[in-house]
Amino acid sequence: MTCYAVGHLRNVEMGKEIVAYLEAIDSTLAPFEGQFIIHGGQKHMLEGAFAGDLIVIAFPDLARARAWYASSAYQDIQPLRTKNAEGDVFLIEGVDSDHRATDILSS
């Protein structure tokens, strides 16, 4: 099942370290079949308030998402982001295409 790495980043300092992070991250994703599906972008708010940027990277499954995050290639560049941005990062599994909202009632 598809797994997503989600980042909600705030107060990003767009200096040389963040640029280096952006230049390097794509090559860390490739071995794990990760691909960006949301990377910042203009928000069209409908309700509430959302400060910062949303980043979502899709992986074929939880195992590959975990392996990417733990990989030395990603861990080597991670401090370039964490020293220059605040935020929350987590992995979350998606649902099947036939999922219905009420399915959560039986879990």
Side-chain angles (χ1 to χ4, degrees):
M1 178 167 310
T2 303
C3 184
Y4 302 93
V6 178
H8 174 204
L9 301 183
R10 300 171 298 281
N11 302 317
V12 178
E13 295 179 30
M14 285 302 285
K16 66 180 183 177
E17 289 187 331
I18 288 291
V19 170
Y21 176 85
L22 293 171
E23 291 173 343
I25 191 168
D26 290 323
S27 65
T28 72
L29 297 171
F32 305 98
E33 299 179 59
Q35 60 182 19
F36 284 98
I37 59 170
I38 298 172
H39 196 199
Q42 184 177 359
K43 294 180 282 301
H44 305 276
M45 296 301 299
L46 301 174
E47 298 179 24
F50 187 90
D53 294 306
L54 183 66
I55 295 90
V56 180
I57 303 168
F59 292 89
D61 51 49
L62 178 60
R64 281 182 265 201
R66 284 184 171 161
W68 161 74
Y69 188 81
S71 71
S72 60
Y74 184 70
Q75 289 299 306
D76 287 348
I77 66 167
Q78 182 192 27
L80 299 173
R81 176 183 52 80
T82 58
K83 290 190 296 185
N84 294 284
E86 298 172 16
D88 307 298
V89 175
F90 57 92
L91 300 177
I92 189 164
E93 291 182 279
V95 295
D96 292 327
S97 61
D98 63 347
H99 177 84
R100 298 293 176 255
T102 53
D103 291 350
I104 66 165
L105 300 176
S106 61
S107 2

